[in-house]
Amino acid sequence: MFGQMMDYPLTISTIIDHGYATFPKKEVITYMPDGSIHRYTIADLYRRSKRLSHALVHKLGVRRGDFVGTFAWNHYMHLELYFGVPGAGAICHTINIRLASSQTEFIINNAEDACIFIDANLVQLLEPIATKLATVRSYIIMGAPENFATTLPNVIYYEDLIRDSPEDLAWESVGENEACGMCYTSGTTGLPKGVLYSHRSTCLHAIIAGLPNCCGISSADRVLVIVPQFHVMAWGLPYAAILAGSTMVMPSCLLQAEPLINMIIRENINKAGGVPTIWQNVYSMLRKNNIKTLPLKEFLVGGAAVPPNLIENFEKEFGITVIHAWGMTETSPLGAVCRLQPEHEKLSAEEKLRIQSLQGQKPPLTELRIVTEKGEIAPRDGKTVGEIEIRGAWIINSYFKTSSRENFSADGWFKTGDVGTINPEGYLQITDRAKDLIKSGGEWISSVSLEVTIMAHPLIREAAVIAIPDEVWSERPLAAVVLRDQNEPVSAHELRVFLSGSFAKYQLPDKFVFVGEIPKTSVGKFDKKKLRQLFAEGKL
Ligand code: ADP
């Protein structure tokens, strides 16, 4: 038929081709585990990704549709895998390095990874289970020091693998709906489940993520990618950054506040992304070291609810805008991003903060709705609570190797398992995860709201709220809290008084338990399953 546009597949290779054609001299900088700094350009990244692609096919026998595992920190070689693996028509399976070994074993066997690219400083995590990983033909070691030794079988060194491979190969021609990447959910609420990302979903996500209303990155920006590459493809930031031509800085395993602050200052970082705990630690360290200014202009924070005082403190003390975002492995992850709109500028600081603490508005090419307990679609009134459902161009359609439709509505939306509201302006607020909800005397109590408010207390560092069984009310909230400083205690009574300004009396936790640390999941979130277990065993 005449009068049509080209059918131009949206593939990962178009992202790196664009980076190479348009921003070849832009830098990709890695702060390596040994303290050295590795610098090269997008042109180098492009060429080495091509060599890697060639080596995958011709040296490792990787075929189209094969799974190639990565077990690594954030660095330039891991970026080469982000492009080289899909460029060979294979699927880049980023394995979470922080899971229990039984889960890691399950994931690798479930994915049937053909080979695994692994950081030299992480081999000890796979060595004990290597004999059980039947499909893995070889282990490719990245960043090996001189005296490196491992019991892993069939070892190849990364640089040896790609050294003699040509850099002029043509990318494998794949269909845009073929898979390019895979992540497993971190198993907070059950066994990890595989989520496959397609070339098309990843490209569209990267384009939209870069928009000013979303992560807002351009060739003028210098972005620090703190969120791990094994966690929802680093929120898609590497792909978005290459499309936008941003300078990218990768921290490898140097994720403590001090080295991160050092990178931000030395590399003149103006944008970044990481989970709330990272930013809490950065804030405490800035205070401790009496650092008054940072080049950072704004940062993205998500993966767990952000305490409003964190947003306020960064804004007031450092002039840094905190961009709250919501998403999950199944949503690639962008599901909502919170930015103030121009009409909000006239609001008071307090009113602005209230908006900035929400999880935000949906990005283009996605849709959000709230479905109540009765199965009705809730009005966008900011009050009616229900499960959040989402659909769109980068939202999961089914889990890997499972036919279960348990997480999908009859009309094909993904049921997130998160609970919340949407206000008339389209801002989403997460009040809980369905599995963490507290139902007391027929009323829902939001554990997330309690947590972020308790963490706003100046003497409290962390707070996680769980439901505990109660004979009269069926469930009551219990708050596990961590003091900022053991020498500055605060009583349960003081905390209750502090909360009473924001919550009804029945919503206040019955018990406050002071603990040294809140157990965390593999991606640094409060592990409420573990907390509930500790409580049940009488160990809290
Ligand atoms: P897992 O599902 O295994 O915990 P994910 O990283 O995919 O791993 O986590 C997604 C979940 O994290 C969401 O379903 C939600 O409960 C929580 N989450 C993500 N971002 C936010 C946020 N900004 N506020 C509150 N909760 C969030």
Side-chain angles (χ1 to χ4, degrees), residues 16-47:
I16 188 69
D17 283 349
H18 176 69
Y20 179 59
T22 315
F23 312 107
K25 292 187 181 152
K26 270 292 157 70
E27 265 192 313
V28 177
I29 302 155
T30 306
Y31 277 61
M32 299 298 285
D34 65 1
S36 62
I37 302 173
H38 178 276
R39 292 174 189 272
Y40 74 2
T41 62
I42 290 183
D44 297 319
L45 169 64
Y46 169 87
R47 291 193 198 99

Side-chain angles (χ1 to χ4, degrees), residues 74 82 94 183 225-238 250 332-333:
N74 290 12
Y82 265 40
T94 53
C183 285
V225 184
I226 307 172
V227 55
Q229 285 189 259
F230 57 76
H231 190 206
V232 210
M233 313 302 279
W235 296 348
L237 287 175
M250 313 300 277
S332 296

Side-chain angles (χ1 to χ4, degrees), residues 48-56 80-81 84 117 158 162:
R48 283 172 54 96
S49 303
K50 285 229 154 179
R51 280 160 56 186
L52 170 64
S53 250
H54 188 276
L56 281 167
E80 290 161 12
L81 286 154
F117 286 72
Y158 187 82
I162 69 168

